[in-house]
Structure formats: structure tokens, C-alpha cells
Amino acid sequence: LKLKNLANAKPKKGAAPALATPPTHATVYVAKCYPAWQCVVLDTLREMYKGEKGTAVDNKAVSVEMGKKPEVKKFMKKVMPFVAFMKEKVALGDLSVLDTSLPWDEMKVLSENISYIVTTLGLEGVDLALSSDLGEKGEDCRPGAPIIAFRTEPSVTLQLTNNQPFTGLFNTACPILQGDTVKNITRRLARMERNIKEGTPVSLYRWTDPVMGPRTMPDMKTPLAGLSQVMEKESFTINLEQNIVKLGELTLEAGLIFRVGQETAA
């Protein structure tokens, strides 16, 4: 939902509508346990419920009890809203919601499913971090309820051209990020082009002669003539000031050729 809201963000009143720049990366912040003052509140509530979910816990009694706890004194404005929130969770669930940590390793589970998360969100990458890295802002992060922060990494647009007949694919303006590899770019291209079916291999080619190659009349009988395949071990760099993309020392002024399906450059 947060990702959708970012994509559909409305401009402020009186401001010109801005083109939404979709996020490329995200950081998921995970809390191993509640902040210290919240742990005190949870332990106190557990004592007041006396092991029974149906026990009536009076807010005034909770407030008095909290006033005796030195750990929560400077957080008193936040205490009762938190108490109300947790009491509602107890009503909807059980007393296990008052546990100060999870019985399983949330960071490990997210790490093991990071590829699924990246694919589902349509991002280039997702990092994992502890909520403590956020300081006080991390208090909104709770065990089992991580916070996700989206960001957009800078990029330079490169023209990718498909020279295969009958594919329904032509030219695509594809953003290139710093350090991109063939895998990064082809995965991004597959998200942008609906005519590239999931799992279809995509190969990238550059002009062997970057000056004359793009000016040569193409021959459909030898579509790979004058092209060199970009290998997975190669990486792309970008220069934001000059708005250029480089492959090694080669500036890709003419863009790249992409082809779908299994094949080997001639």
C-alpha cells in the first residue's frame, strides 16, 4: 500500500503535477524486540490480565501503575495510546500479543525470502536493517510489523533496441543504475516490456564498432553481424553530470541491442 501511495502521490495545492518517479530500492527495518519502555508496559499489562484474556483491565489503574515505573516517565504521553493499541490486539487475538519478542527469527525469514520480496514489490533491491538504526523513529517498528522505507537510486536512460522480427518489441528507454550487470538490466527490461514472458532469456549486445556499427544497414540474415555480446561479468557505470552510460571504457552513445531467446553471438 505504501508503494502504491508513492506511485499515486498527488501534488500540493497550486503546485504543478510532477511525474512520479517509481522507487528502485527499499530498506526493511526489523525490530528484534520492543523498545525498553514498551517492554515495561507489556509486562505490566500481562500481570494485570492475570493469564486471562477476558480480565477487565481498567485504563485508570494502568495509568497509576505506569506512573510508578521510572522507565516510562518521560514517555507518559505515548503510554496510554500504546496501552489502548495493545488492549485492542488482545481483544482480537490472545495474550501472546503481549510477548516482547517473536518466537522465530524475523530477520532470518525475511533474508531467506528476499528474492520474493524484491520481485513482488517490483524493485531492484531490498536491504534489511535493525529498527535501532532509525533511533526514536524506530519505535513505530514492532516485532512482526517491520517498517519499509522506499528510495529511488539515480539513473541514466539508455536506448535498448530489439532487432528481431515479429516479437512486438522495438525501442525501450531503460534506466541504467550504477554498477548494473546484464542480469539487472534484463530483469528490469522484462518488467517494462509485457511482450517478454517471464523466464524468457534476454541477451544484450553492443556495437563492436561504436561509430560505424549503428550506421550500417542491418541484414536480417545476419542479425548479429557487427555486434558483441555483453557478458554477465561486465558492469555498467553512469555519469550523471554528462548523462552517459559506459561499459568499461566504452561510452554507449548508440545504446544496446537486446534479443529474446537462446542464441550465441556470431
Side-chain angles (χ1 to χ4, degrees), residues 2-266:
K2 187 173 181 181
L3 182 59
K4 185 176 181 181
N5 290 338
L6 282 173
N8 297 324
K10 295 182 180 180
K12 294 182 179 179
K13 187 175 181 180
L19 293 176
T21 303
T24 60
H25 293 74
T27 299
V28 178
Y29 293 95
V30 178
K32 286 193 172 183
C33 64
Y34 283 86
W37 72 269
Q38 292 184 355
C39 287
V40 172
V41 174
L42 293 173
D43 290 340
T44 303
L45 284 176
R46 182 179 290 279
E47 293 175 5
M48 297 182 76
Y49 273 105
K50 300 177 181 179
E52 293 292 335
K53 170 185 173 180
T55 301
V57 177
D58 182 63
N59 284 344
K60 187 175 182 180
V62 174
S63 180
V64 171
E65 196 65 30
M66 289 299 105
K68 302 175 184 178
K69 310 288 184 180
E71 301 93 336
V72 302
K73 279 190 175 180
K74 70 175 184 177
F75 301 102
M76 286 305 292
K77 289 184 178 180
K78 299 180 180 180
V79 167
M80 293 315 295
F82 180 64
V83 168
F85 173 73
M86 295 312 301
K87 285 176 65 177
E88 184 177 341
K89 289 189 70 174
V90 170
L92 295 174
D94 54 42
L95 293 179
S96 66
V97 302
L98 299 178
D99 293 343
T100 58
S101 61
L102 296 173
W104 41 273
D105 191 333
E106 184 177 6
M107 185 73 83
K108 182 181 178 181
V109 172
L110 290 173
S111 180
E112 291 173 347
N113 292 276
I114 201 71
S115 295
Y116 172 78
I117 296 171
V118 170
T119 302
T120 302
L121 295 177
L123 298 174
E124 300 296 331
V126 171
D127 305 317
L128 300 178
L130 293 175
S131 60
S132 55
D133 294 349
L134 293 173
E136 290 187 5
K137 293 181 179 179
E139 289 186 1
D140 292 332
C141 185
R142 302 181 177 93
I147 290 176
I148 185 166
F150 295 99
R151 67 182 186 276
T152 301
E153 295 291 341
S155 64
V156 173
T157 301
L158 189 68
Q159 196 72 16
L160 304 187
T161 303
N162 180 256
N163 66 354
Q164 294 169 283
F166 315 122
T167 61
L169 300 167
F170 302 99
N171 295 330
T172 301
C174 181
I176 306 298
L177 280 64
Q178 194 71 266
D180 264 347
T181 62
V182 171
K183 183 178 180 180
N184 299 138
I185 296 174
T186 54
R187 185 176 59 193
R188 189 176 309 135
L189 185 62
R191 289 202 305 267
M192 297 171 64
E193 287 284 359
R194 294 183 179 180
N195 287 332
I196 300 179
K197 296 180 180 179
E198 185 177 354
T200 301
V202 180
S203 303
L204 299 181
Y205 298 87
R206 62 173 177 82
W207 295 103
T208 305
D209 183 341
V211 178
M212 296 305 299
R215 295 175 171 80
T216 304
M217 183 68 69
D219 185 346
M220 298 307 295
K221 294 181 180 180
T222 55
L224 300 182
L227 298 175
S228 298
Q229 186 170 3
V230 181
M231 309 308 293
E232 181 58 45
K233 63 181 180 180
E234 299 181 89
S235 62
F236 296 78
T237 58
I238 61 173
N239 186 311
L240 297 174
E241 292 182 0
Q242 299 179 22
N243 198 40
I244 60 174
V245 178
K246 300 184 75 172
L247 181 62
E249 296 299 318
L250 177 65
T251 300
L252 301 173
E253 295 182 3
L256 293 171
I257 302 295
F258 75 93
R259 293 175 65 84
V260 296
Q262 295 283 0
E263 60 185 354
T264 304

